[in-house]
Amino acid sequence: MHPRPAGTAHPAAALHRTVEPTLVDVAVVGAGQAGLSAAYHLRRRGFEPDPGAAASLVTLDADDAPGGAWRHRWPSLKMATVNGIHELPGFAVPPADPATPARDVLPAYFAAYEERFDLRVRRPVRVAAVRRVDDDPRGRLRVQTDAGTWDARYVINATGTWRRPFWPVYPGAESFGGRQLHVHDYVSADEFAGRRVVVVGAGISAVQLLEEISHVADTFWTTRREITWEAAEFDTAARVAAIAGVEERVRRGLPPGSVISVTGQHWTPWARAAQRRGVLVRHPMFRAIEPGGVRMPDGAFEPADVILWATGFRADIGHLAPLGLRTAAGGIRVADGRSTDEPRLFLIGYGPSQSTVGANRAGRDAVRQIMAAREPAAAG
Ligand SMILES: Cc1cc2nc3c(=O)[nH]c(=O)nc-3n(C[C@H](O)[C@H](O)[C@H](O)COP(=O)(O)OP(=O)(O)OC[C@H]3O[C@@H](n4cnc5c(N)ncnc54)[C@H](O)[C@@H]3O)c2cc1C
């Protein structure tokens, strides 16, 4: 064994040097629409973003700046083409030119919101793991991050879906000689000018980008299921029915499922525009990918330079794995935004609350439930 120079610690000592976790009542993980709504309601109920306070809260966010996933949406997603944005509680979205990209308007709004309600979001702080401190069911949950550890009585998880784009697996994908990208990485149709682009997926993004790209490129649209266009508008009744369907799934511990599988296919202005221009032509899903294109179920070959996967996103909850909540069906059992198997954990912006309006309400409801547990008599 080599002698250590005087005054230097054994390297293992660094591993054993423990930094005490900071104690807080509530840790909010993620500061998108859902997390900011929760932080706002906690502030209104007297929680302070200061660990020394009688009721304390910390809000942790992995991004460098405010805006949640809106910071990362593609530039051609304008205020006019978003699917309806519900304002955050207590502060209206300032009027914006419909032609302005959502990625500019909404992060500025979120920044002003955090400032106005003194939310003091800590960023960039990425939560790596949430685990139980001990076996006491009334004990704390440990939130481990790349910038410290917090032990909280409650964790409100609001980490969205943006960092988990879903790529289906098809044989031959690795052999493709062109470019494959997910809408997560889409920037502009101009990149595909003059190319042949296979657009995969049935959701709003697929149809919107199909329309956009078809102005400059030859497009070929494929979806797993036949599309049945709903004659009715996606009105309040349809929305309520769709949300109830997802609520039931997550209550049973199933993964929330894709948005389109519960909402059905409704006409939008860009779907109509694509239809008018003759590009809204759906084909069945290809069965394999080859170097120069895709092989269709009937054996036909469709050449392609680009495959754009508009196949949605999944809940970004890998950091919750140490809690062992995953069911055999692959989801987490959640009722009213709260984990059934770990009641100290709330999941908001998850499943039925995965929209701006749903996220708002889920933030409020999580805080109500926390208040009810803290002060049963004062709950309202
Ligand atoms: C392309 C697209 C368009 C959409 N358009 C609309 C629309 O027009 N209207 C609508 O109502 N809904 C829309 N949605 C749904 C939309 O995602 C939600 O409405 C809402 O913006 C999501 O808010 P959120 O707070 O749940 O998540 P996000 O906005 O994704 O915020 C999550 C935050 O958590 C942080 N985070 C993630 N992981 C960690 C971690 N481990 N540690 C710390 N922080 C973490 C992220 O940095 C991020 O800031 C759209 C979704 C997509 C994918």
Side-chain angles (χ1 to χ4, degrees):
M1 212 170 107
H2 299 289
R4 250 177 301 125
T8 57
H10 187 284
L15 295 175
H16 294 296
R17 202 175 48 227
T18 49
V19 178
E20 283 299 308
T22 307
L23 302 185
V24 283
D25 290 297
V26 185
V28 178
V29 183
Q33 183 101 11
L36 290 186
S37 168
Y40 165 88
H41 286 288
L42 286 164
R43 292 290 278 129
R44 281 196 64 202
R45 302 286 196 140
F47 285 77
E48 300 277 342
D50 169 3
S56 56
L57 111 104
V58 67
T59 307
L60 308 170
D61 188 62
D63 267 290
D64 292 333
W70 294 109
R71 278 169 55 73
H72 307 290
R73 308 272 201 241
W74 49 93
S76 61
L77 188 65
K78 305 280 167 54
M79 291 306 283
T81 49
V82 292
N83 193 23
I85 300 294
H86 202 274
E87 63 200 28
L88 284 159
F91 184 22
V93 186
D97 178 347
T100 317
R103 63 187 277 161
D104 295 337
V105 175
L106 294 168
Y109 166 58
F110 280 32
Y113 190 86
E114 290 179 15
E115 182 82 28
R116 183 180 183 118
F117 297 109
D118 187 25
L119 301 182
R120 279 180 260 164
V121 176
R122 289 173 178 250
R123 58 167 65 88
V125 180
R126 170 164 296 281
V127 172
V130 178
R131 59 181 81 246
R132 297 179 185 89
V133 169
D134 53 34
D135 294 337
D136 179 359
R138 294 163 59 87
R140 289 175 185 262
L141 297 179
R142 177 156 295 166
V143 180
Q144 294 174 304
T145 81
D146 54 6
T149 301
W150 281 264
D151 281 357
R153 294 187 191 285
Y154 296 98
V155 171
I156 301 181
N157 191 79
T159 46
T161 59
W162 183 253
R163 287 168 201 268
R164 277 201 65 207
F166 174 64
W167 291 71
V169 177
Y170 279 86
E174 66 297 333
S175 73
F176 187 58
R179 176 171 174 212
Q180 294 190 68
L181 76 164
H182 191 277
V183 296
H184 177 272
D185 302 310
Y186 177 83
V187 177
S188 155
D190 298 341
E191 294 181 70
F192 311 122
R195 309 278 200 83
R196 187 152 204 262
V197 182
V198 172
V199 177
V200 185
I204 290 180
S205 310
V207 177
Q208 204 170 64
L209 296 183
L210 172 74
E211 201 282 323
E212 190 166 303
I213 295 168
S214 65
H215 286 270
V216 297
D218 180 18
T219 50
F220 185 82
W221 182 34
T222 65
T223 73
R224 216 151 33 116
R225 293 194 198 89
E226 186 67 67
I227 305 272
T228 310
W229 293 93
E230 308 278 346
E233 292 278 301
F234 192 49
D235 57 9
T236 309
R239 242 171 251 271
V240 168
I243 291 171
V246 188
E247 232 157 33
E248 178 51 25
R249 282 183 66 86
V250 299
R251 199 182 287 277
R252 288 163 45 208
L254 292 162
S258 73
V259 175
I260 202 68
S261 65
V262 293
T263 59
Q265 195 81 28
H266 293 265
W267 286 104
T268 55
W270 44 92
R272 293 263 184 228
Q275 186 195 36
R276 274 196 301 275
R277 295 179 37 250
V279 293
L280 192 72
V281 182
R282 179 263 171 192
H283 299 272
M285 199 55 211
F286 47 78
R287 64 171 148 87
I289 301 174
E290 297 181 14
V294 294
R295 186 66 59 186
M296 301 304 289
D298 64 1
F301 179 74
E302 291 292 339
D305 304 306
V306 177
I307 302 174
L308 174 63
W309 296 94
T311 39
F313 295 80
R314 297 291 183 262
D316 185 358
I317 53 173
H319 53 286
L320 303 179
L323 295 171
L325 301 173
R326 202 179 150 97
T327 64
I332 290 185
R333 296 199 305 146
V334 174
D336 300 325
R338 190 171 195 168
S339 159
T340 312
D341 303 308
E342 177 45 88
R344 292 167 290 183
L345 174 71
F346 292 82
L347 287 108
I348 65 173
Y350 177 82
S353 61
Q354 213 188 109
S355 66
T356 50
V357 63
N360 262 11
R361 290 188 187 142
R364 179 197 64 198
D365 294 348
V367 174
R368 272 199 189 144
Q369 293 181 63
I370 290 173
M371 293 309 291
R374 281 170 68 87
E375 321 162 6

